[in-house]
Amino acid sequence: MIMQNKIDIHEFSTGIEVKGTPNGWESGGFTGEYMNRTIDPIPQAVLDSIANRQFALAEGVVTADPAMVGRVVRGYGEIWSVVAVVTRGRDDRGRGVSLYRYFLSQGDGRIETILLWMGKPRVFNPFDRRDIGQPHQANLSPKEVRLTEEFREMLNQSLPILVPNEKPCAALRLNEMTRNLPPNDDRAWAYKVAMLERPEYFQVIYPADDQAEMVIREVLNRRQSLPVLTSGESGIKTAIKAVTNVRVRREHIETLENALGNSQLNDKYWESILDKEGASQAFRENLYGDRYVRLLTLKAMLIPQFLPYFLDWLAESKEWKTHYATSLSLQKWMLREAPKFTDDFSNLSERLKFGICYVIDCLVDEPQILKQSQLLLTDSGLWSQLYQKSLSKELEAVLSLMGNYIEKRQKQNLQSLRVQYPQWSRLLNKINKFWYPPEQHDPNYKSLAKLFEKVGTARLVAIFYQIGEGSVPKPLFDKLSTNKSEIVLFKKKIYRRKNLGDRAKELTEEVYFFFCGTVDIGGINMSRFMALIILLAVFTGGFALGIIVRWPSLIAGSETAQIQPNNTNNNNNQQSNNANNSNNQQSTSEPTPVPNNNNNEGDQGKRVQASPSPEYNMTNSAIEAIVDDLKGEIELQVRNFPENPFPQTIKDDFYKEKSNINSKGIVISCIKDKLGLPTDFQYGDVGKEEQKWAEFSTAIREYQLRKGARSILADGVISLKNATGKDKGQTRKWLEEDIRECLELSESQSNQPRTPDRIRRRRWPWEIN
Amino acid sequence: MGNICIIGPRASGKTTYLAGLSYYSDYGGSSSKYTVSPLNDESRELKQQAKDTILNGLSLDGTGNYVHTVDDLIYYSFKIEVKGGLFQPRSVILLNVRDYPGEVFENILYASGADNIHEEFINECLISDVDGCLLLFTEWESSKDDFYSQLMSRFLEIMDEQGRLHNYRLAVVMSKCERGEIWPGRIDPETDLFGVYLKKTLKTLKKRIPKQNLGFFALSTFGVLGRYDPRPNRDDAFGSGGRASTLRAPDSWKPYNLIEPLCWLNKESGLTVKVKS
Amino acid sequence: MVLFGKQKKLNSSSAPKALGNDSVLRIIGDRGSGKTAYLASLAYWPNASRESPVKSITPIGEEAQELIDQARDILEQGLQLEPTDLNADINEVKDYNLSITLKDRFSWLQGSSKLVQLNISCKDYAGEFFSDLLYKKGDPKLEDYLGDCCLARGLLMLVDGTSHRKDNEFAMGMEKLLMEIERSDMETNHRRIALVLSKCEQSELWVNRHQPKKVASRFPKLSAQLETWSQSSTGTVEYFTTSAFGVLGQHYPEPNSMRLKRSRHGTTSIIKKPKLWRPFGLVSPIYWLCTGQRHSELDRD
């Protein structure tokens, strides 16, 4: 028993060259190693903490009494209680030097023991030699420290607590205060200090005098906004510095890898720690020094969303190739240090992968980063390695899965695909429309084709040429199939681009077909040529009025299919077709995702019984589009916060089953809320009952007016973007924003590269201050 | 413009010279041909002291008393503005002067190579950014000529060792020229003072130092009583700390030639001339 | 949706031209030669003159910001900086990043107000590094430092102008360093070493501040060492005089420093009148290290 009550107290001191003087000694310079120590090696967690300036008193301020800092340090699976006694010495240049003598004991809650054992502060003494392996022994004799009411009250203050200097206070009492605070990772106090280098790292501070109290208060105010430190930060910092100085070694990469595994260190954290090295500043002010290129390369590795921005930042410089070479040499260096990068560093690899996904997604709207993206994926750097190794195959696999699901109309699978590959969900959302009729293309996707062309993944090139230009250049197409003019890729038809010969042939064919094709007029099959003659005869003759009276509807009927307004802008949105076509019973080809679930509310919108008004159809499809837009985010939210993804107002049976999230139900609840409709309002009835629709429409109108729409535009209809609606989809945008807010979809999600506005001078989501 | 040293045997009036120099511009008012502005605390202190010593007769301590290492040597720093004459433009001298204790100078004859401190002192006054020195002599008895001559040959040797023999200006000065025996010789000191009393020394110097780097001057901090009354304006007394001299008639204080050696040292010339050996 | 390329800023015309993109510097020198004070004064840039070609000096990142804190909270309060700690890990050494914007010196010729930017990152080694060069051999920490030092193309060797009695030691340390530089397998890049004499507010140095070579000649062996090196290799050497504290007046150049101690190690002092704190010549060596050209305007008072 007696043995157990003894505990070891180790110590070590700042290492200096001791020089004798007539009055004693002075420092002849630091040795860079600790001296008079009883322990070797000194625990890494303690060293890290010291390197983090967690014990550091600020320079230049002299106090007569020794200061003390107490702190419980954790890390590397160990806990140490450390007390540092700080005094001021002189060096041979006549400068003041802060000299530290550290006492430490393993375990939490040993600070008290150290203080009791020490009695009066044992100050730095270079001649107090110690031997390694011979720690001090102290009795573990707990002593009760009572906090008076006065001190107890102080515990309610915000941290760090500044104990007023006029109140007499002992180090033991400060320690007791930290013990009585709500439990926290770090426990630290400072006693009789003039100033601390990082006062924000402490919980309780007892200033040396009035002046000190003032100064500390002022500095704390100045630094309020700084993020709180996490243990192990110094290792991360060192790693970051090593990367920016090209002296990165495997252990630095390991540090970063491990830190990425720590869920507490979110993107905000990485933002702020990289900003400490000047990342945002370099980005904003276009500083292209090698160091900054490396720093931002690292940022693009750690924060995937940043990668497109990084490429754009490069693109802004005329010498971007040189700068990318700098970045590349860093990547190569890292690969050399860690040849099996993808295997050994899964967290990092994952981030790099996601980064590429963001780039691919971004490239659709931001073609100016094309050249940089091409280099990123072709030169033998980290990103390109990852892309070649796994990502291109993954993308192909995802595309073919999507093709399959769409073909088989497996909506649910399509959704789960998005959930399974959140990194691709954005792209999938964007491009799935191309798998639905009508056949369309969007030139924005050409840059993706060009990207994959450089990278050399033929199938991807082909599909994106098809999406971007409506056909695939012949040489490329011939690689996939030589003798056909169209093939099916990822369950989507792709066409060979027609060269001049093809075009001529086609033209003659068209002329021929025009005249020789048959037309069904009034149930009579005849050639067009004939029909034309008849029509001519009819119109010019003018004698058969009766026929004209009978025929116009027929003529008009045959033409509606061609001159419907939406077909002229078929690039845009198939949903708008749907809105108007649903009259014509074309719902079989309806491409709008329809949630396949049992919930009434979400479900009923589809089953239109009476003939609903076109306004209703437009509104309904706009709502479907909103659901489509938000689905990915909603699912992500549920995944990220399985406990409580949404505010109380949303019924939890919409998302109880992770695999079956009723996004539409959720969205509609929000819409009702925003439109000020009662919760028991059944959206499903809107399509059935004229009156319900009127009620709904009025609510929309009021909402539009509330949002500041001009009264002529407040039409009580939610329209699709650029479609027939008067307000060009503005109401839909408002609603979408409001729903995001209502669902508390996290900011970073809603601001992801989808809207990567070029806002160098605006605030970035991950930029602080 | 630059750094110079003042060296010379003990009691040759080095500190008194500096004190007189800094104080006279204030004291003499418009009759002074120059103004001296101290540029550091030490110089200001010296000026203050000058008042106490020259006018009130408190003795200046020997400089060596408080100098233990070369770092204790004070750099007096002045800005001297010399008023322009009829044909002379106004000139400005920034002067940093180190006042060496006489012992150091006298000891160069006896010092062994191992005497680090001593060596440091001498090195310090021959360091490359020191342009030259003011060499003060005060004793003119022929018996001293041998000693001075030996001293100077040793000094020249050291100069040579430091590579300064040909790029170091020496203003050789006979101080305290208010003394009746030498007052008439002030007009042409090279011939009438050094050529008469310190022949060997003169010869030694002229033999080794390039002509343009060698100047001879006579100066008197106290001066004489008046133009037609060439008695020294000085009272010698023995004060608390030893010998102390004060002005006999403070009202007619007119020092002689204080500024000229400095102006000569300041002139850009000999330093750039390279002598082929 | 506003896309991020559509509002390209007016890049070429208004943005400053960056000179010497890769301006990685190391500042070395004896303990107490004034390295941290040099950097802190540079970052703080107190009482800037409007005539100075330096338009602005911006700290980048947290550490450079700390330099400013040190300048403001310590130097400007008339206190002394503490010695820089000798870090065991080279990567923990503070790396200060500053962006210095200069008015283009030929701007009056071109009739435009073009700006020139120097983006430097400068590691402040503890002075112990330099003395360890002399006395330690094969020490892994020293090797790390040396390796890191060789990464930099520009070395700023800071020497307290009044520490001339240590010329011998400096020359020996420099010899060792130069050997190491020669040995480092970095492609034969053109390396520059600026011999910067600090504390030139001291009157004996100030008088010759416009003749830096003359002041450097107080260190004959060190200068000779550097000269030999620059003649025998691709490196170049240049001399500068600087003062972190400056002098009080232009006409009466009294040092703006209060001397605390002087020894063979040089001079220790603090600022005398913080309100009149105007450093001298701090940017000139950096400009030269970054560009290889001497900017005469920067050497002016």
Side-chain angles (χ1 to χ4, degrees), chain C residues 235-291:
Chain C
T236 39
V237 68
E238 189 65 66
Y239 304 88
F240 298 88
T241 48
T242 61
S243 167
F245 297 168
V247 292
L248 289 173
Q250 266 191 335
H251 293 288
Y252 299 95
E254 187 171 341
N256 188 9
S257 67
M258 226 146 58
R259 187 184 301 169
L260 301 180
K261 185 169 180 175
R262 179 172 267 191
S263 69
R264 67 188 293 273
H265 302 301
T267 310
T268 311
S269 45
I270 51 175
I271 292 183
K272 197 177 197 171
K273 297 186 178 166
K275 281 196 177 145
L276 299 173
W277 182 12
R278 254 182 341 135
F280 163 76
L282 298 182
V283 179
S284 185
I286 288 174
Y287 187 90
W288 178 79
L289 285 171
C290 293
T291 65

Side-chain angles (χ1 to χ4, degrees), chain B residues 20-79:
Chain B
L21 179 77
S22 64
Y23 186 52
Y24 182 69
S25 70
D26 279 12
Y27 186 86
S30 58
S31 66
S32 169
K33 284 192 290 178
Y34 61 91
T35 57
V36 174
S37 321
L39 290 183
N40 58 13
D41 293 340
E42 288 89 344
S43 325
R44 258 188 289 271
E45 222 167 90
L46 180 75
K47 195 166 169 177
Q48 185 58 40
Q49 270 182 0
K51 197 173 160 189
D52 298 339
T53 50
I54 295 172
L55 295 180
N56 307 334
L58 294 171
S59 83
L60 284 171
D61 280 344
T63 303
N65 291 0
Y66 62 88
V67 174
H68 302 289
T69 75
V70 71
D71 297 305
D72 300 330
L73 277 184
I74 290 169
Y75 253 112
Y76 296 109
S77 185
F78 300 105
K79 179 179 181 174

Side-chain angles (χ1 to χ4, degrees), chain A residues 15 28 45 56 66 71 87 141 188 200-201 212 249 251 260 285 296 336 357 381 414 448 466 529 536 649 661:
Chain A
R71 181 179 284 280
T87 42
S141 50
E200 64 272 23
Y201 292 173
R249 283 196 300 263
E251 62 258 35
L260 284 175
E285 290 165 25
L296 292 187
R336 202 160 55 232
C357 299
L414 196 57
L448 278 185
Q466 179 62 38
F529 188 66
L536 265 175
T649 47
I661 298 163

Side-chain angles (χ1 to χ4, degrees), chain C residues 19 36 44 103 112 206 255 274 294 296 299:
Chain C
L19 278 182
T36 311
Y44 193 45
K103 301 159 194 158
S112 68
W206 184 257
R294 199 157 182 141
S296 53
D299 287 323

